Amino acid sequence: MKVRELGIDGAYAFEPEVFHDERGSFRSPYQEAVYGAALGRPLFPVVQVSTSSSRRRAVRGVHFTATPGSMAKYVLCTGGRALDVVVDVRLGSPTFGRSERVELSPEAGTALYLPPGVGHLFTALEDDTVMVYLLSAAYRADKERAVNPLDPELGLELPGGHARVLSERDRSAPTLAEARDRGLLPRYADCTAAGADGGGR
């Protein structure tokens, strides 16, 4: 398995070896020894596993969780194909405001580790795109936050143009500057402390 540290502080991509034969293929998108060597600790205790299914051009995000209680995520695509965008919305982070794009698919088996407080968006590149999220904390509506994915300051350049499919929540979400002014963004120091054990509790 290859490990790649993303340009977002604390975020990683894990790219497993894929084995092919006449039956199909096999891959292991999570390997504790490799993860532990990269991050210096095992994966967080998994409190919740969630999945989403999306039509082509659907956009979900930019989502993140507030502190205290911000969650870490381990994300992979098990159907279709997705363009995942990791966005640093943590105030005080050395990579604040930066984003990085990673294509996820079942064929590649690439998975992403996102530390507490880091923003996450994906757009489905095919119909029936299925995403799986291993989470360090249970979903809580009062902790959920969003930044507008079309904010020019973020410059995410998402595919789909006017045919993009967004929820009303994401379409009306504040810009990064508005979220900062309204005190909605998590602080890097709080997120780092929350993620010291790999989770967000």
Side-chain angles (χ1 to χ4, degrees):
M1 173 177 268
K2 296 179 181 177
V3 181
R4 181 165 60 91
E5 188 169 6
L6 301 182
I8 307 301
D9 186 69
Y12 289 80
F14 294 87
E15 303 169 359
E17 186 174 0
V18 181
F19 301 93
H20 297 274
D21 64 19
E22 63 277 7
R23 299 167 299 174
S25 60
F26 180 87
R27 62 199 53 69
S28 298
Y30 174 71
Q31 298 171 36
E32 184 170 307
V34 177
Y35 179 98
L39 274 81
R41 57 182 181 262
L43 184 69
F44 50 79
V46 176
V47 172
Q48 182 170 315
V49 177
S50 299
T51 67
S52 66
S53 178
S54 302
R55 59 185 284 194
R56 184 172 176 239
R57 297 192 184 95
V59 175
R60 295 179 186 258
V62 177
H63 299 157
F64 58 97
T65 47
T67 53
S70 182
M71 64 176 68
K73 302 175 182 178
Y74 197 78
V75 182
L76 60 154
C77 177
T78 60
R81 197 163 50 96
L83 177 65
D84 200 289
V85 185
V86 184
V87 183
D88 196 345
V89 297
R90 300 166 297 177
L91 288 174
S93 167
T95 55
F96 177 77
R98 288 191 203 165
S99 63
E100 184 158 346
R101 301 150 65 101
V102 181
E103 188 169 310
L104 302 181
S105 69
E107 291 72 27
T110 300
L112 300 178
Y113 167 73
L114 308 176
V118 166
H120 171 249
L121 167 151
F122 79 87
T123 182
L125 301 176
E126 298 178 3
D127 285 333
D128 301 317
T129 291
V130 178
M131 300 288 281
V132 177
Y133 315 81
L134 281 65
L135 308 173
S136 68
Y139 171 83
R140 284 181 49 182
D142 63 314
K143 293 292 183 181
E144 286 295 306
R145 302 286 186 271
V147 168
N148 196 305
L150 306 180
D151 178 5
E153 183 181 350
L154 294 177
L156 300 184
E157 298 181 5
L158 303 175
H162 294 297
R164 296 184 194 109
V165 182
L166 285 83
S167 69
E168 180 54 36
R169 172 201 176 196
D170 290 340
R171 192 178 300 279
S172 61
T175 65
L176 186 65
E178 290 168 343
R180 181 174 50 226
D181 292 345
R182 289 160 55 181
L184 299 176
L185 300 181
R187 297 190 178 279
Y188 177 70
D190 295 338
C191 295
T192 302
D197 62 355
R201 291 178 290 175

